[in-house]
Amino acid sequence: MKTSSKKRRRKENLVVIGAQWGDEGKAKMVDVLTEQVDIVARYQGGSNAGHTVVADGRKFVFHQIPSGILHEGKKCVIGNGVVLDPLGLLEEMNSLVQAGVKVRNRLIISDRAHLLMPYHRLLDGASETHKGRAKIGTTNRGIGPAYMDKMARVGLKVVDLLEPAYFRSKVREVAKEKNFWLKKYYGQAEVDADKTADAYLKIAPQIRPLVADTTAYLEGRLQAGENILAEGAQGTLLDVDFGTYPYVTSSSASVGGVCTGLGIGPQWLDEIYGVTKAYTTRVGEGPFPSEMEPDFGEKIRKRGGEYGATTGRPRRCGWLDLVALQYACRVNGFTGILLTKLDVLSYLQTISLCVGYKVKGQIIREFPASLRRLADCRPVYKEMKGWKGDLSSASRVGDLPAEARRYLDEIEKTIQVPIQWVSVGPDRAQIFQKP
Ligand code: GDP
Ligand code: IMO
Ligand code: MG
């Protein structure tokens, strides 16, 4: 009997997860770690992600295509947990091909992934406008409405796109309900069901060759001794269960999403890496206890280039929040931390580390479930001495100034998870492993 055992394992399977509110530098880490695996697989989210890789001076931003695609000879999988915008995907593939990156025969899309439809985007925008000041600040890519349809059991899957008659009838049926909301509730224009179906069916022949049962594919490759890297989008604090709900995305960005989003068992997951910046950023609305004063935040934003890779929005900047990071370590069971953007903190006199929250006169070290309570939390800082010197060419921990090493030690001491890689610049070469 064939079982999903680890018997034939040669190397290790990796998971890369955002430990904060997204944009931690996951893509850079995925690009670097792709050397160690055969397949890179995205397990959730959609085109809300903006994943930047800087390779030999060239910058690439991926939205749906896994960040391992620059490594020829490695396969990339879009798992069933992703909500796929097929039009956006083709655009992304074309721009990669134009940049000289081979994509065909390397990209495999799950037949079970749900499709992101044009009405999802319209509903996302309409819902945000309707909420006014209470908006979530979404990326306006239709992500929430697409996952709503999946859970409401009215979604369309990639496999449905391959059955034109069924696809058209289903789009007509679902569009009726969407038009009710668009017109009657939001007072917006309706969608034309047949035009929507036409646009998707027109590109179906281009999508068809990429489609496969990716759970069978991944299991087969794993059994054959190959290794995968599961690439997360967004981050733990944007996870629909563990994040700062309702200011979250609509998927499971944390470790549980890997199994449901790829259809592989947890026994295959070896290293669970959490990616954190040396500070914190967040795009969109919602509480952010360690947010910096606006002028200081602006300074870090400029130094760190903190503008959304998908929407171009300025990211809110804050100090590293160890209460939140410890919480992320717990809910994901991180085996290691990948720390990025240490270079951005150079030349500061002092660096603050958030080690607790003060709320109603009490000091707490647990990340609260209640958003009202979180909004009342004031950060308790441990002040660390900053360092002078450019870190961007550091290639081992010994190259770092003593104060920078102390900063890393303090983080490790608090979270009790080892920092395994340190990134000191956007380029794939600006990184080193920490013993
Ligand atoms: P992701 O969504 O987690 O993949 O991260 P983004 O691509 O949205 O944002 C991370 C940004 O930081 C990108 O512009 C990266 O090129 C850049 N970056 C990644 N690591 C480093 C680093 O160590 N130092 C600096 N200065 N920039 C970095
Ligand atoms: P990557 O993968 C940072 C945020 C949005 C908003 C909330 C909900 O690049 O780290 P959505 O469009 O998902 O319904 O928006 O989540 N958000 C991200 N923030 N990085 C991302 O992706 C994000 N994807 C969504 O700003 O606050
Ligand atoms: Mg990003």
Side-chain angles (χ1 to χ4, degrees), residues 112-131:
R112 290 182 170 85
H114 275 248
L115 288 170
L116 191 128
M117 304 296 291
Y119 44 76
H120 293 139
R121 233 176 236 250
L122 294 174
L123 286 164
D124 194 359
S127 157
E128 286 283 274
T129 309
H130 182 77
K131 286 194 177 100

Side-chain angles (χ1 to χ4, degrees), residues 174-187 190:
V174 178
K176 264 190 218 149
E177 188 229 295
K178 301 303 165 197
N179 282 336
F180 172 84
W181 285 102
L182 282 168
K183 189 170 170 202
K184 304 273 194 229
Y185 191 73
Y186 294 120
E190 296 177 319

Side-chain angles (χ1 to χ4, degrees), residues 354-392:
C354 175
V355 293
Y357 298 149
K358 192 162 189 187
V359 57
K360 297 197 163 73
Q362 232 193 331
I363 305 247
I364 60 165
R365 295 186 203 279
E366 273 295 319
F367 196 72
S370 157
L371 218 65
R372 272 72 52 206
R373 189 163 162 85
L374 186 65
D376 282 343
C377 284
R378 297 292 162 260
V380 176
Y381 288 125
K382 175 163 188 157
E383 303 296 345
M384 305 285 297
K385 193 163 178 288
W387 58 87
K388 292 201 173 64
D390 178 14
L391 305 190
S392 62

Side-chain angles (χ1 to χ4, degrees), residues 22-27 48-52 61-62 234 283 308-310 315:
D23 301 331
E24 298 90 349
K26 297 177 292 295
N48 49 350
H51 290 175
T52 316
V61 180
F62 306 113
Q234 291 79 56
V283 226
T310 295
R315 296 174 181 152

Side-chain angles (χ1 to χ4, degrees), residues 21-24 26 48-51 124 136-144 232-235 238 247-250 282-285 309-310 313 315:
W21 277 287
D23 301 331
E24 298 90 349
K26 297 177 292 295
N48 49 350
H51 290 175
D124 194 359
I136 291 164
T138 72
T139 58
N140 219 353
R141 294 295 190 275
I143 302 298
Q234 291 79 56
L238 289 171
Y247 299 100
V248 293
T249 192
S250 300
R282 139 162 243 188
V283 226
E285 310 302 316
T310 295
R313 289 180 294 175
R315 296 174 181 152

Side-chain angles (χ1 to χ4, degrees), residues 263-278:
I264 56 171
Q267 81 279 12
W268 288 111
L269 312 181
D270 300 300
E271 295 294 334
I272 318 290
Y273 292 137
V275 189
T276 178
K277 282 178 185 165

